[in-house]
Amino acid sequence: FFICTVNLSVIGLTSINGCECYVLRGEYVGLGLKAHSYVTTNNLTLMKTVIEAPSAIAVVTYNHKIGKGTITVTTENDVSSQQVDIKPDTQDPLSSIYYIRSLPLREGYWCTFNQISVEGLALVRIIVSNELKNVQTGLGNFTCYEVLLESGGAKSMVYISTSSERLPVIIKIPFSRDTYQCWELVKYLTPTLAT
């Protein structure tokens, strides 16, 4: 196993195709991997995804009017592009974390959304446990919604605090048949409002 720090943040606002968007950033410290998701400020519609790895940069732009996404991959030696089908509620792995936190979570709640990944478009079912869970971390005890994410045969678990911040306290993602990536919240900053 290995330990990796993942920094998640909202780093600003921008406009894409006339829509005001939040710029979400996910940085995998030590792996040289960064992701940016651009989602609309009014309903978190995904407009663009950028993934930067040491060997390539992938950019996905989403055209919701025609239900297509364009994936462009740039390497040192080549640029390739292809179109894929998308659905109106498509999210990427980074934006999914923010999207789930924005839902009207409560015990017994469920819904579905589509997530794009390297394997293509997959339907994800969200199921919130009928009971709240107490989760202990290095930051203390959190009362959380236990959120199961099912997609095909894969099952991930997300523990989201019931507080107004809806913090993703623990995320467990299947890595292989018997192995999980486990993310645990180790630090968070409360946004401050400028006066």
Side-chain angles (χ1 to χ4, degrees):
F1 71 91
F2 66 92
I3 296 175
C4 174
T5 299
V6 180
N7 292 327
L8 302 177
S9 56
V10 180
I11 61 171
L13 294 171
T14 192
S15 181
I16 296 179
N17 297 333
C19 297
E20 184 179 48
C21 294
Y22 293 118
V23 182
L24 312 177
R25 180 177 67 183
E27 180 181 11
Y28 295 75
V29 178
L31 298 181
L33 181 64
K34 293 180 186 175
H36 291 87
S37 300
Y38 299 79
V39 296
T40 59
T41 57
N42 61 339
N43 61 7
L44 300 185
T45 298
L46 183 62
M47 300 296 288
K48 182 178 176 181
T49 301
V50 179
I51 300 171
E52 300 175 46
S55 59
I57 297 174
V59 178
V60 186
T61 54
Y62 304 92
N63 186 331
H64 296 282
K65 290 180 182 175
I66 64 170
K68 300 285 184 186
T70 302
I71 303 172
T72 304
V73 178
T74 305
T75 64
E76 187 177 300
N77 304 317
D78 189 32
V79 176
S80 61
S81 187
Q82 69 177 29
Q83 270 199 339
V84 294
D85 292 328
I86 61 166
K87 306 268 186 197
D89 56 351
T90 297
Q91 298 293 326
D92 63 27
L94 173 60
S95 69
S96 292
I97 296 168
Y98 293 87
Y99 177 75
I100 294 165
R101 292 169 63 197
S102 75
L103 294 171
L105 299 178
R106 62 187 179 280
E107 297 95 317
Y109 174 84
W110 72 272
C111 71
T112 59
F113 71 96
N114 291 285
Q115 182 173 290
I116 193 166
S117 68
V118 290
E119 289 86 27
L121 197 63
L123 184 66
V124 178
R125 184 172 185 209
I126 297 172
I127 303 168
V128 180
S129 171
N130 287 322
E131 296 180 13
L132 297 176
K133 305 294 181 184
N134 288 317
V135 177
Q136 183 69 37
T137 72
L139 292 177
N141 192 47
F142 293 87
T143 301
C144 293
Y145 297 107
E146 182 181 61
V147 182
L148 174 67
L149 306 177
E150 290 183 319
S151 179
K155 295 182 179 182
S156 300
M157 193 69 71
V158 182
Y159 293 87
I160 298 176
S161 71
T162 58
S163 64
S164 60
E165 297 91 357
R166 292 284 177 90
L167 299 171
V169 177
I170 293 179
I171 301 174
K172 294 180 181 179
I173 302 170
F175 185 69
S176 64
R177 184 180 176 131
D178 299 319
T179 308
Y180 281 84
Q181 291 180 24
C182 187
W183 303 358
E184 180 179 313
L185 182 68
V186 294
K187 181 180 177 182
Y188 68 93
L189 302 174
T190 305
T192 57
L193 298 175
T195 57

